[in-house]
Each structure stands twice: as structure tokens, then as C-alpha cells.
Amino acid sequence: MHDAIKPDLTMFLHYETLEEDGKKVVAVSIQRGTERPYYIAKKGLRPEGVYVRQGYSSVPATDSAIRQMIKETDGDHFEEMRSLDQELTFEAAQKEFELRDIEFGSQQMQILKMIDKESIYSNLGLLLSDQCVHTIKVAVFQGKDQEVFKDRIEFVSVEGLVPGMELEDIMVGLSVCRNQNLANVFYRLKLIEAYGTGMRKIIKAYKTQEAQPVIESTKNAFKIILPNINMESEEKKILSEQITLNKQLEEKTEKLQNRESEILEYIKMNGEITRGDAEELLGTSASTTLRILKKMVEDGILLKQGKARNAKYILNS
């Protein structure tokens, strides 16, 4: 009996031997247990392992009936309720604990409230198991909206804040965990630092920034938008580089115009100018001087007469 039925219901059983009509009869009395549902160990917390009375018959309990019995016994705290799935493995969790040099055996699982004294897995155990069906959806966009997302990161938590909590409470650092036991596991794994410090750290990180976090809360969702500071810095860097480049271009253009003006003044006074005269006038190299003269010819300002060293430049009147 101890091995066949879980949890142990010995204390709820009473039996005695009677004699009726010359026959010995064993009368068994079974009280209603306090840790329902009780189930056949080999079948588990499934309809084929949990039976209920229906008239004079015993029939398999439905999934909803099993959940209701668990809720009545364990309370309404999801993490601590017994998991319907008891065929759980923990390969991924084992690796995470080993990575941080933390033991992960049955004793530790009991301390973390993943299993009870009867070695029955809780819903916390289910959340940390390889069989967990719950997921976190992540989407990455390449621009500034949900078609192309790039200038921010958004976190959305369904169901909103924990009942009794307001947005103002969050802003002053008040923290109430929806899943306290799961948070404790994350704390042991050093995946979180402490409870209630995240929002204050976010506000401090953006204190000197122009763009600030946006926080929205409704009865069905909690949303926080964190601007991409790195992208803002990169855009400022690109803008600064562009301004510098434009300034350098303006300076080069102004310098070229000044040199062209000097050449024009020289021609007006002397009627013509050679490359050698222009080199001496401007104090530039032969190639730079030739490039300036060539540009003035292409722009229709000067006319070139002759070739090579004998070439002269006059105004294109």
C-alpha cells in the first residue's frame, strides 16, 4: 500500500477483522485525506492514475478535477502547487548549476521547493525542467519601428503588475515577486543581483541622457521601453564627423578660391601667367599648381596657349 498510492495515506486508513455468518471479513475505513489528489504511483497525477467516486463506481478524474483538488490542497500559489507532469528531467538546469559550481541534488531541490518530502515535483520544478512549455518571445528589428526595430529595446509582461502594486511603487524601488521561489533560484544562480534594485539602476543609468525610459502600465500588461544610448552616441559621432568633413571641404574650397583669385589678379596686371609664375606666386608644388590651372581652364575662366613648359594662361574674355 505504501508504494502503490501516493502521497502516503496510512494515517487515513482504519481496518479491522470481523466475523459474520461464520466468515471472517476485513472492514476497511478510508477517511478523506488532506493531500488530495491521491494517485496510483505507477500512473502518476493523470486521469489514469487518479480515481473519484461516481455513484457506486470509481472513474478516472478529469484534468480539471485533478487541478481543482491540487488547488484546494496546495493553495492558489502556482509555484508551490504540485505539477501535473511528474516525468521531469533537468539536464539544462543541471548545467547551469554546475557552471556556477552549485550542487543540484534532491536535497537542494527540496530546499529550493522544486520537490516535496514525498519527492513530488512542484510547478517550480516544472518551470525549471526540460519539459517546461512556457517561453519568452524575443524579436529583433533593424530600424526604428516594429517593422524595422533598432533605436530601443522593449519589455512587455502580460497580466500587468502584481495585484496591489502601482507604478509609483515600482519607481521608488518597491518590489513584490510574482514568483518568489523562482526569483530565489535566479538569485542563487547570480542571474539577478537583488530584489527591487533594477528600476533604480535603470533610472540612474539614464540620468544624464537626453532620451529617457518610457514606462506604461495597464491592468493587463506592463511595458518598459529603454532607448538605445549606444545608437544615439553613434549617430552623434557620425554627425560630428560629417560636420568636420563639411568644414574641411569648405576650407579647401575657400582656399582654392583664394588661390584662383591670386592668379586672376596676377594675369590682370601682367596679361598672362606661366606654371612657373603660378608656383612662385602660390608657393605650391608643380602638381598642385597644374591642377589649379587645369580646373580654371575647365571652368572657362582661363585659356591655355602653347604646350608643356612653354604653355601660358590668359583670361578667357
Side-chain angles (χ1 to χ4, degrees):
M1 180 67 71
H2 286 279
D3 297 329
I5 303 294
K6 295 289 184 178
D8 185 9
L9 46 63
T10 304
M11 63 181 296
F12 301 104
L13 290 176
H14 173 72
Y15 58 92
E16 57 182 329
T17 303
L18 304 175
E19 187 170 332
E20 291 185 5
D21 299 328
K23 296 181 180 179
K24 289 185 177 180
V25 179
V26 177
V28 181
S29 300
I30 306 177
Q31 296 178 340
R32 176 169 174 166
T34 58
E35 296 184 78
R36 298 188 310 148
Y38 293 89
Y39 60 93
I40 300 173
K42 292 182 179 180
K43 301 292 185 179
L45 276 169
R46 298 189 296 272
E48 58 266 33
V50 180
Y51 286 81
V52 294
R53 295 292 296 178
Q54 192 175 81
Y56 292 102
S57 304
S58 294
V59 298
T62 62
D63 284 332
S64 59
I66 295 173
R67 289 193 182 93
Q68 183 61 33
M69 283 187 279
I70 291 176
K71 185 176 180 180
E72 290 173 356
T73 300
D74 298 349
D76 200 20
H77 200 273
F78 176 78
E79 288 180 306
E80 297 177 359
M81 294 170 64
R82 284 167 286 176
S83 169
L84 287 180
D85 187 354
Q86 291 293 313
E87 301 296 325
L88 305 180
T89 58
F90 299 90
E91 293 183 11
Q94 181 77 47
K95 290 179 181 178
E96 289 297 321
F97 276 79
E98 289 178 353
L99 184 65
R100 293 163 178 80
D101 197 26
I102 302 175
E103 291 187 23
F104 187 67
S106 58
Q107 183 178 357
Q108 286 72 34
M109 293 175 76
Q110 284 190 39
I111 293 173
L112 294 174
K113 299 183 179 181
M114 295 171 62
I115 57 175
D116 64 13
K117 60 184 180 181
E118 298 284 344
S119 296
I120 297 175
Y121 292 115
S122 65
N123 280 331
L124 175 62
L126 175 64
L127 290 176
L128 296 171
S129 72
D130 303 320
Q131 288 71 35
C132 179
V133 297
H134 301 284
T135 60
I136 296 176
K137 295 182 179 179
V138 178
V140 178
F141 301 90
Q142 300 302 316
K144 297 184 178 181
D145 54 44
Q146 287 191 350
E147 292 182 358
V148 198
F149 179 37
K150 145 182 181 180
D151 65 333
R152 66 195 181 276
I153 183 170
E154 298 184 2
F155 296 92
V156 179
S157 176
V158 296
E159 295 186 10
L161 296 175
V162 175
M165 290 284 289
E166 300 292 340
L167 184 57
E168 292 79 7
D169 301 323
I170 297 292
M171 299 305 293
V172 297
L174 184 62
S175 174
V176 177
C177 292
R178 193 184 302 274
N179 298 307
Q180 180 68 47
N181 296 335
L182 183 61
N184 182 48
V185 174
F186 286 168
Y187 183 75
R188 285 172 175 261
L189 291 173
K190 299 182 180 179
L191 296 174
I192 59 175
E193 295 180 0
Y195 311 144
T197 62
M199 191 59 68
R200 284 179 292 177
K201 288 183 177 180
I202 289 173
I203 300 302
K204 184 177 179 181
Y206 282 89
K207 187 175 182 180
T208 60
Q209 302 298 322
E210 182 178 348
Q212 291 293 309
V214 177
I215 303 172
E216 302 173 0
S217 180
T218 69
K219 64 180 181 179
N220 295 317
F222 177 79
K223 179 178 182 179
I224 180 168
I225 302 174
L226 303 180
N228 186 344
I229 297 176
N230 295 328
M231 193 200 78
E232 183 179 342
S233 300
E234 185 65 25
E235 287 183 344
K236 288 182 178 179
K237 180 181 177 182
I238 293 174
L239 180 60
S240 177
E241 291 175 350
Q242 187 63 47
I243 292 174
T244 301
L245 185 62
N246 291 340
K247 186 176 181 181
Q248 290 175 347
L249 185 59
E250 290 175 0
E251 291 175 350
K252 288 180 70 174
T253 301
E254 184 179 356
K255 196 171 184 180
L256 179 60
Q257 291 173 344
N258 290 338
R259 287 171 175 174
E260 290 181 355
S261 297
E262 290 184 56
I263 291 174
L264 289 174
E265 288 298 322
Y266 184 92
I267 295 175
K268 287 178 182 179
M269 293 180 61
N270 299 280
E272 61 184 31
I273 191 171
T274 65
R275 191 188 69 184
D277 295 332
E279 286 182 30
E280 185 177 348
L281 174 68
L282 302 177
T284 54
S285 65
S287 59
T288 299
T289 304
L290 188 60
R291 186 166 58 251
I292 295 171
L293 292 170
K294 182 180 179 182
K295 181 180 182 302
M296 293 180 74
V297 172
E298 291 174 349
D299 291 342
I301 300 172
L302 300 181
L303 287 175
K304 181 180 178 182
Q305 296 178 337
K307 296 182 179 180
R309 291 181 178 277
N310 297 321
K312 296 178 180 180
Y313 298 87
I314 63 173
L315 292 176
N316 184 11
S317 56

